[in-house]
Amino acid sequence: KHGQMIQTYETKDIMTFARAWTGFNYSRRRGNVEDIDHEGSSRMDPMTLDVISRDWFPKENLGGGYIGDREPLCYDLPDHAFLRQGAKYQLLGGSSSPRWQFDLPDWKKRLDAKRVVLTRGKSNLYDLLCNASDGPGGSDCNFASTVTLNSNIACYGVECEVDTLRVVQVGPGVFYEYIRKPCVQLAFFEGAKKVFGRPHGQYSMCAHPKMPVASQSCCDSNTGF
């Protein structure tokens, strides 16, 4: 500027920005598009995000801060946020596998996996997602691709027992995915607890005790594991 050199960016900036692009893959090929790629991938649709390949650490933004600044902390979200005003649900159709969240591939074939099934005639969430032509509690549903709660609603049954939702079944072969509001999970924090990602402790990590990321586990009385 005015004949003087000014600093723009350096290697550190390139490295931290590159982290934001990790984990992206081509989405699967589909019909009804003109595409000469015969490898099974699509260059027409948005890329998908592979959580396993994603860099997990903080990423700087262009303004000198971090991506996620000014967003609430995930462990500060209210209880039963999935039933509060602004909660959003996306229609999955006949698939019980989430599209915007990560599940292990083998879960798709597990028939013993527990599903949250909403109760017709009892659940307020069922009434909103079904949007029945014959009124609340009806079965003549008009499923919308996206449903956003306009006000807080009361829970019923299993909805009151869980900390969060992922996928709910509204009717036979019809599923919705709960899309949590954007929030931030800190990479470093106090009071962390060790959690395991699979049986026998193949994977472990630190988690915040207020986050709904743990479940019951059983220990062998002989080994302690």
Side-chain angles (χ1 to χ4, degrees):
K1 184 176 182 180
H2 303 304
Q4 301 295 321
M5 295 181 63
I6 60 174
Q7 183 178 1
T8 54
Y9 59 86
E10 55 188 25
T11 303
K12 176 181 70 68
D13 300 310
I14 297 175
M15 291 179 62
T16 188
F17 293 157
R19 290 176 178 172
W21 296 102
T22 56
F24 285 96
N25 294 322
Y26 288 117
S27 56
R28 296 182 61 183
R29 180 183 174 88
R30 61 181 175 85
N32 200 34
V33 294
E34 295 181 2
D35 191 351
I36 61 174
D37 180 8
H38 301 292
E39 297 182 357
S41 60
S42 172
R43 299 177 184 269
M44 300 288 292
D45 298 316
M47 301 182 76
T48 59
L49 186 61
D50 181 7
V51 176
I52 297 298
S53 303
R54 178 73 170 174
D55 182 275
W56 291 7
F57 290 96
K59 302 165 184 64
E60 294 184 10
N61 58 29
L62 298 176
Y66 287 89
I67 296 175
D69 284 351
R70 300 184 180 276
E71 296 290 352
L73 296 176
C74 294
Y75 55 76
D76 283 340
L77 294 178
D79 293 338
H80 293 150
F82 56 90
L83 296 176
R84 292 181 174 267
Q85 182 180 8
K88 185 166 69 172
Y89 291 82
Q90 293 276 6
L91 180 64
L92 294 174
S95 173
S96 62
S97 299
R99 181 179 179 185
W100 291 272
Q101 302 176 72
F102 175 74
D103 263 352
L104 293 172
D106 56 353
W107 272 75
K108 295 181 180 180
K109 300 179 181 180
R110 290 189 57 175
L111 299 179
D112 61 336
K114 295 184 180 296
R115 312 294 183 189
V116 175
V117 182
L118 303 181
T119 305
R120 181 167 67 90
K122 299 288 187 179
S123 169
N124 294 315
L125 183 57
Y126 172 91
D127 289 337
L128 291 173
L129 297 180
C130 173
N131 190 28
S133 299
D134 47 350
S139 58
D140 185 16
C141 298
N142 299 286
F143 299 114
S145 58
T146 304
V147 177
T148 302
L149 273 58
N150 295 322
S151 60
N152 299 342
I153 60 176
C155 62
Y156 175 80
V158 69
E159 303 165 16
C160 304
E161 301 173 3
V162 298
D163 294 317
T164 188
L165 290 179
R166 292 169 64 82
V167 175
V168 296
Q169 181 176 336
V170 183
V174 181
F175 298 88
Y176 272 89
E177 180 178 1
Y178 166 59
I179 309 299
R180 187 181 65 184
K181 287 185 175 181
C183 61
V184 173
Q185 298 188 46
L186 298 178
F188 305 99
F189 48 86
E190 297 181 356
K193 300 295 182 180
K194 187 176 182 179
V195 295
F196 299 96
R198 283 197 171 191
H200 312 297
Q202 291 100 323
Y203 301 103
S204 62
M205 62 180 292
C206 293
H208 197 285
K210 291 185 177 181
M211 288 293 294
V213 294
S215 61
Q216 295 179 349
S217 61
C218 299
C219 297
D220 189 307
S221 60
N222 296 320
T223 64
F225 294 99

